[in-house]
Amino acid sequence: MNFTSNVLILPGLGNSGENHWQSLWEKEYPDFKRVQQNDWETPVCADWIRQIDQAVVDEDPANVLLVGHSLACATIAYWAQAFQRSIKGALLVSPSDTEADSYPPGTTGFAPVPLFKLPFPSIVVASSDDFYVSLERAALFAQAWGSQLVNIGAAGHINVHSGYGNWPEGLRLLKELES
């Protein structure tokens, strides 16, 4: 599969390890770039959205696709609300519910989850048994963001611990956003 867009990878809390699908995609597609954060363990939303914005403006924003996982999905929504940049689109995978009791402590400024229509096309990929977000909340986020919702069934947090390595189905969804 070939991509002509500038793809920016946005991991969630703790970053994505070497066997996470985001990292594997970066190995397979050397042009995909990870947005680095200064603090992966105790993040501050304002810092994370500044890093996203810098990465986007360093590219041609109209040709940027964002690939967010977990906390990065809410971060992308906060970024979109703050900067209103027109990008090609965003793939939002397992959007963590930062308002849920099950959400890990140590983050600053990521709640409440912004509920408004994103100014770009997006796809939310959700699981029916994700510990960090109920399917109902993921559907609420998708509806508020104006995103297409893709429910992939019992897939946990769609990460290595849930058995997701390279995840070719995710690449196909990303390709849909590029079209």
Side-chain angles (χ1 to χ4, degrees):
M1 198 173 307
N2 292 324
F3 289 90
T4 57
S5 300
N6 299 323
V7 177
L8 299 177
I9 301 290
L10 295 118
L13 186 64
N15 201 350
S16 292
E18 65 179 311
N19 294 318
H20 191 283
W21 56 267
Q22 286 183 315
S23 300
L24 296 174
W25 288 6
E26 285 178 276
K27 290 176 190 166
E28 185 175 349
Y29 297 93
D31 290 340
F32 287 18
K33 297 177 187 167
R34 181 173 301 227
V35 176
Q36 294 296 331
Q37 299 294 349
N38 294 327
D39 188 346
W40 291 107
E41 303 304 324
T42 54
V44 175
C45 186
D47 297 340
W48 276 34
I49 67 172
R50 274 194 300 276
Q51 290 295 105
I52 293 173
D53 198 58
Q54 187 60 58
V56 169
V57 298
D58 284 349
E59 304 291 337
D60 170 15
N63 196 40
V64 166
L65 285 173
L66 301 178
V67 179
H69 181 254
S70 194
L71 180 61
C73 298
T75 309
I76 289 167
Y78 274 106
W79 167 79
Q81 192 174 45
F83 292 97
Q84 293 294 312
R85 300 219 188 268
S86 181
I87 62 169
K88 189 173 268 188
L91 182 64
L92 306 167
V93 181
S94 292
S96 292
D97 186 351
T98 57
E99 299 168 58
D101 292 338
S102 62
Y103 197 75
T107 61
T108 302
F110 294 93
V113 176
L115 299 176
F116 72 101
K117 186 170 184 337
L118 298 175
F120 44 80
S122 58
I123 297 172
V124 169
V125 182
S127 162
S128 61
D129 64 349
D130 190 335
F131 181 75
Y132 294 106
V133 67
S134 69
L135 186 55
E136 294 75 24
R137 286 286 285 175
L140 172 74
F141 300 156
Q143 182 180 23
W145 295 338
S147 305
Q148 173 189 346
L149 175 64
V150 176
N151 173 0
I152 63 171
H157 197 48
I158 313 175
N159 60 10
V160 173
H161 299 295
S162 304
Y164 282 80
N166 195 25
W167 195 37
E169 298 83 5
L171 283 169
R172 283 193 283 281
L173 291 170
L174 183 60
K175 190 67 179 172
E176 281 182 31
L177 283 166
E178 188 173 58
S179 301

